[in-house]
Amino acid sequence: MAAGQLVLTEDRLAARRWLQLALGVVCMTMIANLQYGWTLFVNPMQKAFGWDRFAIQVAFTIFIVTETWLVPLHGYLVDRYGPKRIVLLAGLLCGAAWVTNAYVTSLPMLYFAQAIGGLGAGAIYGAAVGNALKWFADRRGFAAGVTAAGFGMGSALTVIPISLIIANRGFQSAFLLSGILQGVAICLCALFLKAPPWIDAAKPFDVVAAGQARRQYSPLQIAKTPAFWLMYAMFVMMAAGGLMATAQLGPIAKDFGVADAPVSFLGMTLPALTFALSIDRLLNGVTRPFFGWVSDKIGREPTMFIAFALEGLAILALSKFGQAPGLFVLLTGFVFFAWGEIYSLFPATCTDTFGSKFAAANAGLLYTAKGTAALLVPFSSLLTDATGSWRPVFWIAAAMNIATAMLAIFALQPLRRRMIS
């Protein structure tokens, strides 16, 4: 295809692909609270039912596992049937999950609701990211980052309303109202979602650039490559620390004695935990398109090295200085800023390496690493109870982050170069 023809095609289809990106972002925003708003409900549920933290956080782990480990299946269905039907059904599941949470009276019921929510959220995540990777092959890092940003910062604007509802009307009302809103919004967006009219590297937008594979690998084929399993191990190591912070930030703030301490910034005064949650969600969203854009410019692995090393240092600083309310807010912001980019860098790297034809399924298979990492979250509570301190948990997480930064440069980069060449 001539350059002029490509420009004409790009002009004609540009509006369509940006609309698809926007719809994906809205869907991701609507499921964000299922993960990032969870920490607000841990202490109220513990107080209401007398369940210990470990038992409650098992529900969080169930959500993450069902959200991630079934994404390859979701991706396969999206690759085959398109995103509309899958996201429509998933929106109903997500809404039903939090409505059910509003009426739980036992741990098994809570676990069931979280499994349903994870099933729906995983389908939406896989569909939105996979669709973005296909529509934006020329800017994969940025597109994956913008889509993932909806998930990362989607709860930023709702942290305060949910906190107020919990305080004034109880956590059951917060679950119910949020579940209805999220489910309806997702289903409306699903009606307009479409897959791109091409599936291979020879069509418009799907241009093979430097550092991208020409061969189109299926999920079964990528599972036989060392590059995939190295990325999988790196994803697990990076995801574990961030998921621990996501699920345990409320308990950490309480144990540090800063949860209700007032913090003033830019003319606003809020409790440290509420302030931290709002800023963390914002930065966790901003980092995804930012580092995705950086990786489009300087390469995936150098960007990984910078971001992952920063994450390790931020966690160490939080463990040492987090008992001060202002520093708790600031340092948790750095932790989330240096962590959230994994959800743009790994999908983009995966599709660069293995092609775009099976982008949703392949990225979904890699995304199961998040579920593997989630299995470690409840043990952070056990380790803290055994040692009486969060510091061992922080040290382990920081060590994994720094090790992953080294692997990006000294293992993944040369391996991918050999594979693509």
Side-chain angles (χ1 to χ4, degrees), residues 71-257:
V71 171
L73 173 60
H74 301 152
Y76 167 79
L77 295 174
V78 169
D79 287 335
R80 181 162 184 174
Y81 299 109
K84 179 185 295 185
R85 299 175 187 174
I86 308 304
V87 174
L88 186 61
L89 177 59
L92 295 175
L93 292 176
C94 288
W98 267 33
V99 170
T100 302
N101 280 342
Y103 297 98
V104 297
T105 55
S106 66
L107 285 170
M109 189 176 179
L110 178 66
Y111 296 160
F112 173 77
Q114 288 299 96
I116 294 299
L119 182 64
I124 292 167
Y125 197 106
V129 172
N131 216 32
L133 291 170
K134 291 179 180 182
W135 278 100
F136 286 84
D138 54 332
R139 303 169 70 180
R140 281 192 185 123
F142 174 76
V146 169
T147 305
F151 193 68
M153 63 191 298
S155 62
L157 298 177
T158 58
V159 166
I160 294 176
I162 287 179
S163 298
L164 292 174
I165 294 173
I166 291 174
N168 296 317
R169 301 179 60 180
F171 71 89
Q172 292 93 340
S173 294
F175 272 135
L176 180 63
L177 295 174
S178 299
I180 294 173
L181 172 64
Q182 290 159 184
V184 170
I186 293 167
C187 290
L188 288 176
C189 288
L191 298 176
F192 301 97
L193 284 173
K194 292 182 179 180
W198 58 84
I199 58 171
D200 61 73
K203 298 296 180 66
F205 294 124
D206 206 0
V207 179
V208 177
Q212 295 184 11
R214 293 182 180 276
R215 178 179 173 183
Q216 306 295 314
Y217 290 77
S218 70
L220 290 178
Q221 290 171 328
I222 73 169
K224 299 176 182 179
T225 64
F228 171 77
W229 291 110
L230 177 58
M231 281 190 274
Y232 194 93
M234 292 170 62
F235 202 143
V236 170
M237 294 168 69
M238 278 300 301
L243 288 174
M244 179 274 297
T246 298
Q248 304 280 35
L249 195 60
I252 290 171
K254 182 179 179 181
D255 292 346
F256 278 7

